[in-house]
Amino acid sequence: MTPTEDAGPPRSATTWALIITSVAGFMIGLDNLIVTTALPAIRKDLGGGLEDLSWTVNAYTLSFAALLMTGSALGDRFGRRRLFGAGLAVFTAASAAAALAPNLATLIAARAAQGAGAAVLLPLTLTLLTVAVPAARRGMAFGVWGGVNGMAIAIGPMIGGAVIDQFSWQWIFWLNVPIGVLLLPLARLRLAESHGQARRLDLVGTALASSGVFGIVLSLVRGENAGWGSAGVLTGFAGGALLLAAFVRWELRNPAPMLPLRLFRSRSFSAINLVGLLNFFGLYGAVFLLTQYLQGVQGYTPLQAGLRMLPWTAMPIAVTPLAGALSDRIGSRTILTLGLAVQAVGMGWYAAVATPQVSYAAQVPALIVSGVGMSLFLAPVANVVMGSVRPEEQGIASGASTSLRNIGGVLGVAVFGAVFSAQGGYGSARQFVDGLIPALWIGAAALGLASLVALALPRGRTGDNATPRAQRHVASSEATADLAAVEP
């Protein structure tokens, strides 16, 4: 190693890289958190039913999940700084389009474009930061980056509520525009360009996977209104299943697959990804309905609703570091199993106490329990993913896991919405609660199942021991990023 390489980049370059990547990650996380708080205001202004509202969330998440690994590969091939700028430009322009949307169809299209920009932007924040920070200081830098992203989890609902109360829901998207416009020249001037190993783009695999999931989700969303036995719904299910089967066949034959299916030969990798999918299934669906419940049924303003979510959303700040230290002592499997079980209890608790007139004090214990469980899940999950594959496969494994978790979230919103529509509706507070309660019980069951699946993970600290100390900082930060992109 040369003296220059050993010294690493200049301190000013490191500082700028930390600022730019942290702000970009915070913007992405904050944007999605704010949107969930804005759903009642969007419905009041633009109209539409549950099916339409679900796509304001799902369009973003599905686009993000489908393109995440493609975005990372584009950065390696064409330049990470260049693609970071491109992703940032798309995200910023799509935010402006969302703010100007005259109807739900335009808003949904803008949200899909936001997801595409975020899919390119978010993974490159960590890659660019890794290149800019000397190895000796990466732990500190990743900690700062993860902490800034974690702030989006805690204060997102509160900021969103304040903006909507004082201005309008459009301003939750306008907030991104000046930040993006400021970051674009800074990224160009202050970030160093870098490339990774050029990887062949698996565009066919990306199209098959995203189309298959889209077909299934579309049928889930339309099922109640169109009829579960209708030709359109059945065609969507069948077509989606066939496309996913074609995706598996293509990936097995493709020499450069988007998702190397050989990774699933590892029991740990298969189990942790099923656990992550089920966890996000319950989490996404609950957030989608509970933000509307607090405002539409409980009568809170967006800001008041955001503040009342803090016992859940702010819990990772206090609990996750302790849970991470505990997982070092007793193993990741135990912490993951316990965290998922605790989340299941919290969601079931909320379902048990939910009524149109329930006091907020009665909701707090369920929110706290759910937040503790979420924190226990967050602490070791990325380390288990990293430790379940070979070091040279950790990048693709991380991207695959993030995509699968987000697909779980898409399915969660669709299934929760279908159950809500079948059992209740927006007609009255009683109807809303009648739909909310069975949906929450399904989420609790999914989290309980995830807890059982976590028992399939190897005993001990497999993921932790297999992951070098520096990589564990990266893994922890990636888990925070995943959560910041989707949480309430």
Side-chain angles (χ1 to χ4, degrees), residues 4 7-17 132-134 137 192:
T4 303
R11 185 176 295 272
S12 61
T14 298
T15 301
W16 275 112
V133 178
R137 300 207 298 271

Side-chain angles (χ1 to χ4, degrees), residues 219-220 222-237:
S219 290
L220 285 169
R222 296 183 62 243
E224 182 61 26
N225 290 332
W228 293 104
S230 66
V233 170
L234 293 178
T235 300
F237 281 128

Side-chain angles (χ1 to χ4, degrees), residues 199-237:
R199 290 179 277 162
R200 187 180 301 172
L201 300 179
D202 185 9
L203 299 180
V204 173
T206 300
L208 288 172
S210 56
S211 299
V213 173
F214 178 81
I216 291 173
V217 171
L218 181 62
S219 290
L220 285 169
V221 171
R222 296 183 62 243
E224 182 61 26
N225 290 332
W228 293 104
S230 66
V233 170
L234 293 178
T235 300
F237 281 128

Side-chain angles (χ1 to χ4, degrees), residues 35 104 131 250 295:
V35 168
L104 272 174
V131 171
W250 171 263
Q295 295 178 57

Side-chain angles (χ1 to χ4, degrees), residues 282-477:
L283 192 61
Y284 260 80
V287 169
F288 176 67
L289 291 179
L290 287 179
T291 52
Q292 299 181 70
Y293 169 72
L294 288 172
Q295 295 178 57
V297 176
Q298 295 277 285
Y300 296 119
T301 67
L303 176 58
Q304 291 170 337
L307 289 171
R308 281 159 177 78
M309 295 289 279
L310 286 178
W312 183 9
T313 60
M315 195 59 65
I317 295 176
V319 177
T320 298
L322 299 176
L326 190 59
S327 69
D328 288 339
R329 290 179 174 271
I330 66 176
S332 296
R333 187 181 82 156
T334 302
I335 296 298
L336 280 168
T337 303
L338 178 61
L340 291 160
V342 169
Q343 283 191 84
V345 170
M347 196 166 293
W349 192 336
Y350 208 111
V353 303
T355 66
Q357 291 84 29
V358 65
S359 68
Y360 176 66
Q363 301 172 51
V364 169
L367 292 170
I368 292 175
V369 169
S370 297
V372 170
M374 180 176 68
S375 305
L376 292 174
F377 171 84
L378 173 63
V381 62
N383 285 336
V384 177
V385 172
M386 296 296 191
S388 65
V389 297
R390 296 192 298 268
E392 63 270 20
E393 295 174 327
Q394 287 176 340
I396 191 68
S398 176
S401 294
T402 302
S403 295
L404 289 170
R405 290 175 214 159
N406 280 275
I407 287 172
V410 172
L411 294 172
V413 171
V415 171
F416 273 57
V419 173
F420 174 87
S421 296
Q423 301 296 321
Y426 288 114
S428 66
R430 182 71 262 173
Q431 280 185 298
F432 193 101
V433 172
D434 286 344
L436 171 68
I437 291 174
L440 290 179
W441 280 118
I442 286 178
L447 291 165
L449 176 60
S451 181
L452 295 177
V453 172
L455 292 173
L457 292 167
R459 291 181 179 275
R461 295 177 290 174
T462 306
D464 301 330
N465 290 337
T467 309
R469 183 175 182 84
Q471 183 61 49
R472 287 172 59 193
H473 284 292
V474 181
S476 178
S477 297

Side-chain angles (χ1 to χ4, degrees), residues 124-214:
L124 293 179
T125 59
L126 267 178
T127 311
L128 288 165
L129 189 60
T130 301
V131 171
V133 178
R137 300 207 298 271
R138 281 177 193 158
M140 177 276 295
F142 293 145
V144 172
W145 183 92
V148 171
N149 279 272
M151 285 175 58
I153 301 172
I155 68 176
M158 186 170 55
I159 291 179
V163 169
I164 296 165
D165 276 355
Q166 297 299 317
F167 302 100
S168 66
W169 65 264
Q170 285 89 347
W171 279 95
I172 66 174
F173 298 112
W174 282 125
L175 285 176
N176 298 327
V177 176
I179 298 174
V181 169
L182 178 63
L183 286 181
L184 277 168
L186 286 177
R188 176 68 179 173
L189 296 172
R190 299 296 183 179
L191 293 178
E193 183 61 281
S194 64
H195 295 76
Q197 182 178 0
R199 290 179 277 162
R200 187 180 301 172
L201 300 179
D202 185 9
L203 299 180
V204 173
T206 300
L208 288 172
S210 56
S211 299
V213 173
F214 178 81

